[in-house]
Amino acid sequence: MIRPFGLDEALFIVFAIQWTLALSAIAFAGGAVGGLIIALLRVSQARLPRYLALGYVRLFQGTPLLMQLFLVYFGLNIFGAGINPWLAASLALTLHASAFLGEIWRGCIQAVPSGQSEASWALGLGYVDRMKSVVLPQAAKIAVAPTVGFLVQLIKGTSLASIIGFVELTRAGQIINNATFVPFKVFGLVAILYFVICWPLSLLARWMERRFAVATQR
């Protein structure tokens, strides 16, 4: 039975924001840990870790996020490791974020002038102390803007989790649309809510880019 699109239906969609934000936070936090490891492996002087990290990045950058979600959700179930949509989406998005953040941060580490590393070697600093005290603090300043930019893409990417049955913002819109058959109103509201979440982050990323550009010119 078709029902009208009213306040209750709108609130159901609005409250689904919490699951979009929760999934984004888990994927970003997990991706940050994995991304840092990938970035350090990518700039390692040892050939094997560097190539392994490069293969990981190429794999996840070269395949659609939707396919990654399918492989994690259906693949683990085929092998008998039952997994619910929440865990599957979290794992797939974490792996995806690790690859992209790792490559972003690798570029930021390599953007630090080589003279900084040479000076730290001259002072007798080992690899760990050099990365912790010299390279990473400078790379972090460069990485802030592109990292926030990727976070915006990650938030929008959580919409694909609806395909495996995870009820976030997009899936909530699909459920309400199937009951009310007013797609323009339903997905118009969904689009507005995504905009409200992502637009301030996009402004923040652009502001950080301008600030960093001014700081480097001084």
Side-chain angles (χ1 to χ4, degrees), residues 10-11 35 39 43 55 60 63 69-70 113 122 126 163 179 182-183 188 190 193-194 217:
L11 289 177
V43 298
F60 281 91
T63 55
L69 285 162
F70 280 156
I163 300 297
V182 284
V190 170
L193 293 175
Y194 274 116
Q217 291 174 359

Side-chain angles (χ1 to χ4, degrees), residues 8 13 102 133 145 151 156 176 183 192 206:
D8 290 341
I13 296 174
S133 302
L151 176 58
K156 291 186 287 188
I176 294 301
I192 290 171
R206 287 198 292 270

Side-chain angles (χ1 to χ4, degrees), residues 11 34 56 81 84 90 97 106 110 120 153 167 171 183 195 211:
L11 289 177
Y56 178 87
N84 60 46
S90 299
R106 186 272 309 165
Q110 293 182 334
S120 64
Q153 299 302 317
V167 183
R171 181 60 178 165
F195 180 79
R211 183 177 180 183

Side-chain angles (χ1 to χ4, degrees), residues 40-51:
L40 293 176
L41 291 177
R42 289 280 282 119
V43 298
S44 172
Q45 295 179 346
R47 181 173 297 180
L48 179 60
R50 191 168 66 246
Y51 284 160

Side-chain angles (χ1 to χ4, degrees), residues 3-200:
R3 67 173 187 257
F5 182 79
L7 179 61
D8 290 341
E9 287 73 22
L11 289 177
F12 180 81
I13 296 174
V14 171
F15 288 147
I17 290 178
Q18 61 184 321
W19 300 113
T20 292
L21 295 178
L23 182 58
S24 301
I26 291 173
F28 186 76
V33 174
L36 180 59
I37 295 172
I38 293 297
L40 293 176
L41 291 177
R42 289 280 282 119
V43 298
S44 172
Q45 295 179 346
R47 181 173 297 180
L48 179 60
R50 191 168 66 246
Y51 284 160
L52 289 175
L54 178 60
Y56 178 87
V57 170
R58 293 292 181 266
L59 175 65
F60 281 91
Q61 286 190 344
T63 55
L65 176 56
L66 181 59
M67 295 300 104
Q68 296 165 18
L69 285 162
F70 280 156
L71 289 173
V72 171
Y73 182 62
F74 295 111
L76 291 179
N77 279 300
I78 288 175
F79 290 107
I83 185 170
N84 60 46
W86 166 254
L87 292 177
S90 299
L91 178 58
L93 286 167
T94 295
L95 295 173
H96 175 82
S98 296
F100 280 84
L101 287 175
E103 195 66 2
I104 290 171
W105 293 347
R106 186 272 309 165
C108 295
I109 290 173
Q110 293 182 334
V112 176
S114 59
Q116 301 289 329
S117 297
E118 294 170 359
S120 64
W121 281 117
L123 293 173
L125 295 178
Y127 176 79
V128 175
D129 290 332
R130 176 169 61 91
M131 296 300 293
K132 182 179 66 174
S133 302
V134 179
V135 177
L136 290 181
Q138 296 182 70
K141 296 178 182 179
I142 305 172
V144 171
T147 299
V148 174
F150 174 75
L151 176 58
V152 173
Q153 299 302 317
L154 185 64
I155 291 172
K156 291 186 287 188
T158 60
S159 63
L160 294 176
S162 63
I163 300 297
I164 61 173
F166 180 69
V167 183
E168 39 65 67
L169 187 53
T170 298
R171 181 60 178 165
Q174 292 173 343
I175 292 172
I176 294 301
N177 182 62
N178 291 339
T180 60
F181 290 95
V182 284
F184 184 80
K185 290 183 180 179
V186 170
F187 292 111
L189 176 59
V190 170
I192 290 171
L193 293 175
Y194 274 116
F195 180 79
V196 169
I197 296 171
C198 295
W199 185 59

